[in-house]
Amino acid sequence: MEFTGTAAELIAENARECTLDTASKIKDGNGKQTSKFRSNLAGQIGEAAGQIYLHGPVAGMARYCTERKVRNADKYRGDGGVDAVAGAVKVDFKTTLRFAKNAAPEKFRLAVRPHERHTDTTYVMILADKIGYDHFSEVVSI
């Protein structure tokens, strides 16, 4: 799935909207703190892609937009670990940037911090390729 044009701009704007003025807790492969915006951008890409995968292109993007509008209104509240609902199933998308496009998906691990785990939630790992991140860096100054 690739996001370009208006969809990419919307996702980048949502990443800016939900970026708090606090340090990122996420480290890159070299142990350095990642940019909070970059982490949020990866999460927003995954959230939009996940909604589209679950609900189709039109309904999925509409759900993504509706959910983001609600969450961005109070960005300090969080989402309670639920990015989507499919039937009666709560879904939390965990997205990471795959810097080497040839890195095999099975080499990645889905890590969920203990305090973020919920027994009634299904966790889905989404890999976002770096090439997609390059496109967003043209849309948004990082």
Side-chain angles (χ1 to χ4, degrees):
M1 189 175 305
E2 183 176 338
F3 294 105
T4 59
T6 305
E9 290 173 18
L10 175 68
I11 291 167
E13 180 59 31
N14 281 326
R16 274 196 297 277
E17 284 285 321
C18 69
T19 300
L20 303 175
D21 298 331
T22 58
S24 175
K25 296 176 187 168
I26 300 171
K27 308 257 188 229
D28 67 10
N30 298 317
K32 296 180 182 173
Q33 246 178 0
T34 63
S35 145
K36 190 83 170 205
F37 172 78
R38 187 165 130 187
S39 299
N40 286 343
L41 180 58
Q44 291 306 306
I45 292 168
E47 193 173 321
Q51 290 282 18
I52 290 169
Y53 179 80
L54 289 175
H55 304 289
V58 175
M61 199 61 176
R63 284 176 181 243
Y64 168 74
C65 291
T66 300
E67 290 293 324
R68 285 313 327 157
K69 186 175 183 179
V70 169
R71 291 184 189 142
N72 287 347
D74 185 4
K75 63 184 178 180
Y76 294 95
R77 194 174 83 195
D79 62 13
V82 179
D83 290 323
V85 177
V89 178
K90 296 176 184 175
V91 181
D92 190 3
F93 303 114
K94 299 296 183 185
T95 309
T96 188
L97 292 174
R98 181 169 62 166
F99 290 102
K101 197 166 177 146
N102 61 350
E106 59 271 13
K107 298 288 184 188
F108 290 82
R109 291 196 172 99
L110 175 60
V112 180
R113 295 180 190 108
H115 68 279
E116 293 179 352
R117 294 180 193 150
H118 304 283
T119 56
D120 63 343
T121 302
T122 299
Y123 296 92
V124 177
M125 181 171 64
I126 296 177
L127 301 176
D129 288 327
K130 184 177 187 281
I131 200 160
Y133 180 76
D134 290 342
H135 169 74
F136 283 95
S137 66
E138 295 170 13
V139 174
V140 182
S141 76
I142 299 173

